[in-house]
Amino acid sequence: MAWTLSVEDLGYLAIGCAMLGSGGGGEPHYAVTLLKAILARGAEIRIIDPSELSDDALAVNVGFVGAPITLTEKLIMDGEIVQAIAAMRGRLNAPIDALIAAEIGGFNGLVPLIAAGLTGLPVIDADGMGRAFPRSDHVTFAICGLSAVPTVVSGEGGETVVIENASTAKAEALVRALSVAMGSKCFSVDYPLSGRDVRAHAVPRTVSLARDIGRYLRDAASAPGDPFETLRAALRVRWGLSCELLFEGSITAREHDTKGGFDVGTAIVKRAGNVDDTLRIDFQNEFLVAWKDGNAVASTPDIISVLDSHTLLPITSDAIRYGQRVKVVAMSAPALMRTPRALEVVGPRAFGYDIDYRPVDTRHHAQ
């Protein structure tokens, strides 16, 4: 069930990770450029199934922290990745057996592959969210009660910070503050996990899912008939996922600000020929709630994505621009993110919205 990353996989993974990012996680195409260079140097990057880990294997959670727009403006340095993993290995005084993504969405879905190419470690076909979320304590590992510490944070200037003896919430706050201090971008290694932990608490086979979604979107865009229906059918048949079209129109406004390391704002979509028919999408790095006529038609933890109407390529929240023709879609969240315990952390109320979560697969959407 293990597989080796190829150059052909990269394009599919970039698209799939962007879709699963729900608008956040950072623009993945820069990561593709880095990975192409790493593969060209002869690196072999292996993706292994969670079932291949021994119970006592040691894995660590890796990813960049910061505002997504920063990741498009600042170069990633090999040293900040390698030094953080080496520091975690030294702190744990044990060999690290594998890497796992904090989130499969966006740029961060590809970061473990970059780290694998630099260190020779394999990447687990799983992640901690099944999508992207704004904070590092939004991972399934935290929701299930596992500790984030020790946490190692590294910056582009060579600085390395180890966080000890902190609650998971406090570790997240410290990492977020360090991210701001390090230029709104830092690399984090946290949540030391056993193989047993990974199988019990990670969202499985999401690297493979991202690769498949990329293929589906490419195939759907060139298929005869309704391309969205082609995508929808493939996700339902092959992965058992619901994907619904919420709205189609043009972007007429986007307001945003960077606050505390997050890109926060709203986007407005209007249907052609009817200026009163609009959809509003709120985001905090990721798209959190879609509103129509004052009612929430989709919300976190379901995956709200904005796709280019012609190409079906996902558009991240920081890349939304006036005049883009888009389809707004919602895909069902992983089961681990839909439990009552998870909804307390990643449901709409956790982000300050006075609404209950209604799964996309239970709704009927007027388009």
Side-chain angles (χ1 to χ4, degrees):
M1 297 171 67
W3 49 283
T4 301
L5 187 72
S6 70
V7 173
E8 182 183 21
D9 292 328
L10 296 178
Y12 297 136
L13 281 168
I15 297 170
C17 286
M19 174 93 169
L20 292 171
S22 195
E27 167 58 54
H29 292 284
Y30 172 47
V32 169
T33 301
L34 293 177
L35 283 164
K36 284 181 178 178
I38 289 170
L39 291 176
R41 294 200 297 262
E44 181 178 273
I45 300 173
R46 294 183 301 119
I47 294 87
I48 62 173
D49 192 81
S51 64
E52 297 176 60
L53 293 168
S54 69
D55 284 352
D56 297 325
L58 177 60
V60 291
N61 190 70
V62 299
F64 277 91
V65 178
I69 194 169
T70 305
L71 294 172
T72 68
E73 298 173 344
K74 305 185 88 174
L75 294 176
I76 303 303
M77 310 299 291
D78 290 2
E80 61 191 319
I81 294 175
V82 174
Q83 72 194 24
I85 293 172
M88 178 63 92
R89 185 187 299 116
R91 165 59 186 81
L92 297 174
N93 194 28
I96 293 171
D97 297 301
L99 307 173
I100 188 170
E103 56 187 357
I104 193 60
F107 179 89
N108 263 338
L110 299 175
V111 165
L113 301 173
I114 297 171
L118 297 174
T119 64
L121 294 169
V123 174
I124 302 169
D125 194 354
D127 80 298
M129 296 182 183
R131 45 161 296 157
F133 276 117
R135 300 206 320 252
S136 61
D137 60 348
H138 286 150
V139 293
T140 53
F141 317 126
I143 291 168
C144 294
L146 301 180
S147 175
V149 296
T151 293
V152 176
V153 179
S154 63
E156 59 192 12
E159 60 272 20
T160 303
V161 178
V162 180
I163 300 172
E164 305 267 17
N165 302 320
S167 68
T168 295
K170 177 60 73 173
E172 151 62 25
L174 291 170
V175 171
R176 189 64 52 182
L178 286 166
S179 168
V180 174
M182 291 176 177
S184 291
K185 174 184 73 70
C186 65
F187 184 72
S188 176
V189 184
D190 52 17
Y191 293 96
L193 305 165
S194 68
R196 188 184 304 106
D197 292 333
V198 170
R199 284 190 293 277
H201 305 303
V203 183
R205 299 175 185 90
T206 48
V207 182
S208 293
L209 171 61
R211 183 177 60 169
D212 279 1
I213 286 175
R215 285 198 185 107
Y216 301 160
L217 285 169
R218 284 272 179 88
D219 292 346
S222 59
D226 185 339
F228 177 75
E229 286 303 319
T230 301
L231 167 67
R232 183 182 182 186
L235 287 171
R236 183 178 64 250
V237 171
R238 301 180 200 178
W239 284 91
L241 294 172
S242 294
C243 188
E244 300 294 334
L245 179 62
L246 303 179
F247 198 81
E248 183 167 10
S250 297
I251 300 292
T252 59
R254 179 182 183 271
E255 297 180 359
H256 76 106
D257 194 8
T258 300
K259 299 178 181 178
F262 299 115
D263 194 22
V264 179
T266 62
I268 303 297
V269 189
K270 290 189 178 181
R271 196 182 303 279
N274 188 345
V275 295
D276 295 324
D277 194 2
T278 67
L279 186 81
R280 187 185 96 221
I281 314 169
D282 294 347
F283 58 86
Q284 181 179 316
N285 291 4
E286 288 72 38
F287 300 123
L288 296 177
V289 184
W291 304 88
K292 191 173 188 300
D293 300 326
N295 298 312
V297 293
S299 76
T300 175
D302 283 340
I303 301 164
I304 301 169
S305 297
V306 176
L307 309 179
D308 180 280
S309 286
H310 176 64
T311 65
L312 292 190
L313 294 178
I315 303 171
T316 54
S317 63
D318 57 291
I320 287 178
R321 299 291 184 268
Y322 177 85
Q324 291 167 326
R325 281 281 300 172
V326 300
K327 295 179 186 287
V328 183
V329 305
M331 189 166 69
S332 51
L336 283 172
M337 285 299 185
R338 297 166 68 158
T339 66
R341 186 173 181 178
L343 291 176
E344 291 178 4
V345 180
V346 297
R349 294 186 185 277
F351 291 94
Y353 295 99
D354 190 21
I355 58 174
D356 292 323
Y357 167 64
R358 286 182 56 202
V360 66
D361 48 15
T362 66
R363 296 175 182 263
H364 175 72
H365 295 294
Q367 302 164 16

